[in-house]
């Protein structure tokens, strides 16, 4: 089974609307989860991570993610999307001795 | 100041050639990584070094050889380049914060786009 899955290749959201980018995981032991964003022709930038503690994690640029153990999910959310949020978003999970990245979800924010 | 830098940004070369990509981080981090991102944007770890010692060596052809002259640098040398090596290669670094292993935030370089003709 995939360690981390991003079921959507692309998500389209109108500017000002809430956005969700989905991520599910499958690892043994405690899950350590991350979100990174990649803007065109740039390296990845860290958004947020869940290691322990509150299930709702707040990160950069107004993003947050909710760790849901029963659903093995770590969806990325933002209450009001901006056109500048358009980018490629990667969910990642620690598996044993490395970080495994999902295949990425392209987020398009429509003006 | 650029935190993680890579040179060159673009590299176009012929099959069979040998090439190197350099990476430097000025963050004082202990751990550095090389990733390969293919044309479908799939990102995969290749190598990781901690304080100049190799700690991750994924299933990568032995034509790829990382070299860490000091903990601020991790270079990637590729011998006998093949068409399938065409990709964007990212260097990254992280600082051991004392938390669970492999949970430290990684800082990525801008990438090197390698095209093998």
């Amino acid at each position: 089974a995939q360690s981390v899955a991003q079921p959507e290749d692309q998500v389209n959201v109108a500017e000002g609307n809430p956005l969700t980018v989905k991520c599910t995981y499958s690892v043994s032991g405690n899950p350590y989860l991350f979100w990174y964003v990649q803007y065109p022709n740039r390296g990845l930038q860290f958004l947020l991570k869940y290691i322990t503690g509150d299930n709702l994690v707040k990160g950069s640029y107004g993003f947050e993610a909710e760790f849901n153990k029963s659903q093995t999910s770590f969806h990325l959310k933002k209450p009001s999307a901006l056109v500048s949020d358009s980018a490629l978003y990667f969910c990642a999970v620690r598996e044993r001795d490395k970080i495994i990245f999902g295949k990425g979800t392209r987020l398009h924010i429509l003006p | 100041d650029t935190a993680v830098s890579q040179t060159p940004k673009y590299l176009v070369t012929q099959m069979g050639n040998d090439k190197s990509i350099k990476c430097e981080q000025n963050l004082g981090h202990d751990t550095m990584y090389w990733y390969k991102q293919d044309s479908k944007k799939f990102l995969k770890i290749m190598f990781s070094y901690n304080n100049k010692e190799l700690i991750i060596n994924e299933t990568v052809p032995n034509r790829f050889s990382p070299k860490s002259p000091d903990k601020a640098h991790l270079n990637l040398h590729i011998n006998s380049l093949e068409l399938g090596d065409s990709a964007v290669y990212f260097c990254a670094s992280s600082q051991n914060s004392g938390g669970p292993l492999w949970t430290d935030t990684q800082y990525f370089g801008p990438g090197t786009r390698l095209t093998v003709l």
Side-chain angles (χ1 to χ4, degrees):
Chain A
Q2 280 183 303
S3 300
V4 59
Q6 294 180 244
E8 304 151 318
D9 290 336
Q10 183 166 310
V11 172
N12 297 323
V13 177
E15 187 177 23
N17 282 1
L19 69 87
T20 298
V21 183
K22 295 180 180 177
C23 173
T24 59
Y25 64 90
S26 174
V27 294
S28 56
N30 292 326
Y32 301 115
L33 299 151
F34 309 79
W35 277 102
Y36 284 82
V37 60
Q38 185 178 24
Y39 297 101
N41 300 314
R42 304 282 295 276
L44 277 68
Q45 294 179 34
F46 171 77
L47 279 178
L48 50 81
K49 64 183 174 183
Y50 172 82
I51 305 301
T52 186
D54 288 341
N55 290 343
L56 185 63
V57 181
K58 294 191 182 294
S60 307
Y61 311 121
F63 283 93
E64 58 189 29
E66 185 166 13
F67 171 64
N68 188 318
K69 189 172 183 178
S70 62
Q71 296 186 6
T72 62
S73 68
F74 190 57
H75 301 332
L76 182 70
K77 300 183 180 186
K78 186 172 181 179
S80 179
L82 300 173
V83 172
S84 57
D85 292 329
S86 298
L88 186 58
Y89 289 80
F90 289 94
C91 183
V93 65
R94 187 195 83 166
E95 182 179 71
R96 290 193 288 274
D97 59 351
K98 57 184 176 286
I99 301 295
I100 305 293
F101 284 83
K103 64 178 176 61
T105 297
R106 192 165 294 282
L107 178 63
H108 284 287
I109 307 302
L110 309 169
Chain B
D1 286 341
T2 304
V4 182
S5 59
Q6 297 178 226
T7 53
K9 189 170 182 179
Y10 300 97
L11 185 53
V12 181
T13 188
Q14 299 286 333
M15 277 177 55
N17 284 352
D18 303 339
K19 291 293 179 185
S20 292
I21 307 172
K22 295 186 176 181
C23 177
E24 176 181 2
Q25 54 95 4
N26 63 8
L27 298 167
H29 288 171
D30 297 318
T31 307
M32 296 184 72
Y33 313 80
W34 275 109
Y35 288 89
K36 179 180 180 181
Q37 187 176 45
D38 63 22
S39 58
K40 295 184 178 180
K41 304 297 185 183
F42 183 65
L43 193 68
K44 188 175 179 184
I45 182 78
M46 298 174 69
F47 301 102
S48 178
Y49 269 70
N50 186 63
N51 281 320
K52 302 195 309 175
E53 290 191 18
L54 181 65
I55 49 175
I56 288 178
N57 185 358
E58 287 298 290
T59 307
V60 175
N62 57 14
R63 299 181 293 104
F64 290 78
S65 54
K67 296 262 187 322
S68 183
D70 55 63
K71 76 172 195 177
H73 295 84
L74 180 61
N75 303 324
L76 183 65
H77 188 74
I78 316 170
N79 288 329
S80 303
L81 278 156
E82 300 178 358
L83 293 176
D85 298 332
S86 296
V88 180
Y89 292 84
F90 287 102
C91 177
S93 72
S94 66
Q95 176 62 29
N96 182 0
S97 64
L101 288 176
W102 308 111
T103 62
D104 298 308
T105 299
Q106 294 187 28
Y107 294 80
F108 283 76
T112 296
R113 183 175 295 277
L114 171 65
T115 303
V116 182
L117 302 175

